[in-house]
Amino acid sequence: MSPSGAEGIIYERSCCYQKNIKMVVSVFGAWDWAIMAATMVASIAIGLYFRFSGGKQATNEEYLLADRNMSILPVAVSLMASFMSAITLLGVSAENYYYGLQFVVINLSYGIATPIASKLYLPVFFGLQKTSTYEYLEMRFGPQIRMLASLTYTLQMVLYNGIVLFAPAIVLESVTGLDRLISILVVGLVCTFYSTLGGMKAVLFTDLLQSALMFGAVFSVVVFASVQLGSFTEIFVIAKEGGRLDFSNFSLNPTERHTWFSLIIGGLVTYLSLYAVNHTQVQRLQTVNTLDRSQLCLWWSWPVLSVLSVVTCISGLSIYAVYKDCDPFLSKSITAIDQLMPYYVVQAMKDVPGLSGLFVAGIFSASLSTISASCNALAAVTLHDYVGRWCKVPPSYVPWLTKLAACAYGLVFLALAFIAEHLGGILQAALTIFGAVGGPLLGVFTLGMFTTYANERAVSISLLTGMAATLWISFGGPRPPVTKLPLSVEGCGFNVTQVPASTANPSDFFYLYRISYMWTSPIGFIWVMFWGTVISLLWRQQQPWERKGQAHPDPELFTPPLAKRLRARQGDKPAVQCKLLQSNGVED
């Protein structure tokens, strides 16, 4: 989250200092370019290999779900890589630099959420074996909510991925000296090419390569800073002196930006909205052949995600330890806090051949993995939720249409990335949309799986009003400034002119605009659960099974504990036994 308000200090720098900044704009050498080129070539090669090997994607299931025969490792790593974008790597490191290490507490919520997702949500999707996650909503409620949810997902992912492609290009322009438009074209076209040709298998295996580079990028920052400071422990000594290791905020006040409660509860709902019901992740979890293996994929993705998250947090502390006496943002060496990590690479790693290339390859890989995941997932939703509903498509044409859809989405991301340069504040708005719709959508799926009374009319109304509420809370303003932890400029070595810091009193701002962004998803989730329940009970509507003349709901549509009770109540018998009884004229 970018801070707002005056930072309180303006610097007057000499011409010589400005020239020095320009001199390190392009730090790429031959080894750096070689590493970057090798990353792109390897990604394309993987796509070509899976396009022209094996079954050649004769069926849509092979293209979108890797024929459901993938091994656990690539799926587990891909689950992590799908939403660990370059924005995440750059943003989390800056978060810990300017606001402290308390953010790392969010990893505890991932450990709590993983068994919930694997035991209560995943069995429903895996048992139904549907290509689109939103097919479940039509089976449970009806076609209206399926279309509403899939359109929401499509808009969310299109906006987000345009920014995923654009934002790193701005930041990394300062490292490579490469024009941002060329960066966007290279990453966008390479990603569109291999994900369109190779399908899900190419996406999963390139995620393995790209994840290794992501780890290499953040580890290189920590290792290099440790060498500069003399030891790894020195990072934490300096961070503690700067107030970055304070974990004492247990406040229940929702206006406090980060507390134990906001991070654990907000992180829990956010994780479930991504890993329990988001189509991008559910699609990956169905690329293995058994539920047990799918659950193992989810379990193994948790430590992979947490390790990368923790190391990225530590990388922010590492950079703080190096710049504790001359903050780059206050000194105007960078114009946004997300440029912090690339700035460190420019300043500290430029003399080590290949290290800058490794870092940039890792950041670009984070974008590649997110965009390729979205191309494939959105193609599945388009073919099954839109085209399949309105058109009769011959089965032989479906695989080709799916590939065209994946390619089209890649080109749409490219177009949005170019337009994004001129959208200004819309960038932050689109990122906020990504978080604001997750909680309400989780609420819809939860009402469907955990209750038998929720109906289509109620969940449609609660979803629309819930998203309106979360977007209002997220976008409304004016908003109070976010206060950073203490920063120093004593070691910068150039003249400083201080101006008064912002004296705005947070209590002067409207209460909802002061609520921490970590509570946005929980608020949306609770809103949908509450109003979906109230409206369902007060305004009854026929359920899908009632419209079909069935007395009982299908237990397969509900979370395992509820499904077990429904089967016991209905006295379900094995299918063969039921047919035998019916053939003898016995009513079930």
Side-chain angles (χ1 to χ4, degrees), residues 47 49-60 62-64 194-202 399-400 403:
Y49 173 79
F50 285 110
R51 171 62 184 88
F52 296 105
S53 66
K56 296 185 180 180
Q57 304 154 355
T59 67
N60 221 35
E62 183 177 352
Y63 181 77
L64 292 174
Y194 78 73
S195 57
T196 299
L197 281 184
M200 179 59 80
K201 285 186 178 180
W400 286 104
K403 292 176 184 178

Side-chain angles (χ1 to χ4, degrees), residues 93 215-233 235-236 307-319 321-322 341 344-345 349 355 359:
S93 59
F215 275 98
V218 293
F219 269 109
S220 68
V221 171
V222 175
V223 170
F224 206 84
S226 299
V227 172
Q228 280 185 292
L229 298 168
S231 70
F232 178 68
T233 57
I235 293 172
F236 296 94
V307 169
L308 183 59
S309 175
V310 170
V311 175
T312 307
C313 289
I314 295 174
S315 72
L317 295 186
S318 305
I319 300 171
V322 173
M341 187 184 283
Y344 175 74
V345 172
M349 299 184 183
L355 206 51
F359 170 79

Side-chain angles (χ1 to χ4, degrees), residues 78-85 88 106 110 113 117 121 125 133-134 153 156-157 160 266-285 298 301 305 370 431 433-439 441-443 445 521:
S78 181
L79 287 170
M80 177 278 297
S82 296
F83 284 107
M84 285 296 285
S85 68
T88 308
I106 199 172
Y110 302 159
Y121 290 89
F125 292 119
T133 305
Y134 304 104
Y153 167 80
Q156 172 194 40
M157 296 302 291
Y160 179 69
L268 174 69
V269 176
T270 300
Y271 183 95
L272 289 175
S273 70
L274 292 176
Y275 286 81
V277 301
N278 187 282
H279 171 72
T280 305
Q281 303 297 60
V282 173
Q283 183 181 0
R284 272 149 186 69
L285 289 166
L298 197 54
S301 72
L305 173 65
T370 301
L431 289 174
I433 288 174
F434 186 77
V437 302
L441 279 176
L442 175 64
F445 280 99
S521 286

Side-chain angles (χ1 to χ4, degrees), residues 277-515:
V277 301
N278 187 282
H279 171 72
T280 305
Q281 303 297 60
V282 173
Q283 183 181 0
R284 272 149 186 69
L285 289 166
Q286 294 190 76
T287 59
V288 293
N289 54 14
T290 67
L291 175 59
D292 288 341
R293 290 171 66 82
S294 185
Q295 289 171 325
L296 280 174
C297 291
L298 197 54
W299 275 104
W300 277 110
S301 72
W302 166 40
V304 176
L305 173 65
S306 292
V307 169
L308 183 59
S309 175
V310 170
V311 175
T312 307
C313 289
I314 295 174
S315 72
L317 295 186
S318 305
I319 300 171
Y320 169 76
V322 173
Y323 293 132
K324 65 182 179 67
D325 293 325
C326 184
D327 176 65
F329 185 68
L330 291 184
S331 65
K332 308 302 180 185
S333 298
I334 57 176
T335 57
I337 62 174
D338 289 342
Q339 294 174 327
L340 181 68
M341 187 184 283
Y343 176 79
Y344 175 74
V345 172
V346 168
Q347 293 291 315
M349 299 184 183
K350 61 181 181 292
D351 296 327
V352 182
L355 206 51
S356 295
L358 174 64
F359 170 79
V360 174
I363 297 300
F364 272 142
S365 292
S367 293
L368 284 169
S369 60
T370 301
I371 295 165
S372 62
S374 300
C375 285
N376 200 273
L378 285 168
V381 168
T382 299
L383 262 293
H384 288 267
D385 290 343
Y386 310 143
V387 177
R389 288 181 61 84
W390 299 323
C391 306
K392 272 283 187 179
V393 181
S396 59
Y397 290 173
V398 172
W400 286 104
L401 287 175
T402 306
K403 292 176 184 178
L404 285 174
C407 181
Y409 277 115
L411 297 177
V412 168
F413 298 158
L414 264 176
L416 282 176
F418 284 115
I419 296 172
E421 183 175 8
H422 307 289
L423 296 183
I426 299 299
L427 296 180
Q428 184 65 37
L431 289 174
T432 305
I433 288 174
F434 186 77
V437 302
L441 279 176
L442 175 64
V444 169
F445 280 99
T446 303
L447 278 172
M449 294 182 188
F450 288 76
T451 73
T452 56
Y453 58 75
N455 60 57
E456 183 179 25
R457 182 188 295 123
V459 295
S460 298
I461 294 172
S462 61
L463 175 61
L464 289 173
T465 56
M467 287 194 297
T470 54
L471 293 174
W472 174 40
I473 292 171
S474 300
F475 294 153
R479 312 183 73 83
V482 180
T483 305
K484 297 186 180 73
L485 291 175
L487 298 165
S488 174
V489 294
E490 294 178 358
C492 289
F494 45 84
N495 295 330
V496 178
T497 300
Q498 296 193 25
V499 296
S502 174
T503 57
N505 186 350
S507 61
D508 294 336
F509 294 82
F510 181 51
Y511 183 79
L512 289 181
Y513 301 157
R514 291 186 278 133
I515 292 178

Side-chain angles (χ1 to χ4, degrees), residues 114-175:
T114 298
I116 296 174
S118 65
K119 297 294 185 182
L120 301 182
Y121 290 89
L122 179 57
V124 179
F125 292 119
F126 199 90
L128 295 175
Q129 292 287 290
K130 297 296 182 181
T131 303
S132 169
T133 305
Y134 304 104
E135 290 181 73
Y136 165 81
L137 294 178
E138 181 169 2
M139 297 174 68
R140 172 60 182 86
F141 295 116
Q144 178 183 329
I145 189 61
R146 173 185 177 180
M147 185 59 60
L148 180 61
S150 60
L151 285 172
T152 301
Y153 167 80
T154 301
L155 179 62
Q156 172 194 40
M157 296 302 291
V158 166
L159 287 173
Y160 179 69
N161 281 276
I163 295 155
V164 165
L165 187 54
F166 171 70
I170 304 175
V171 177
L172 298 174
E173 186 177 30
S174 63
V175 182

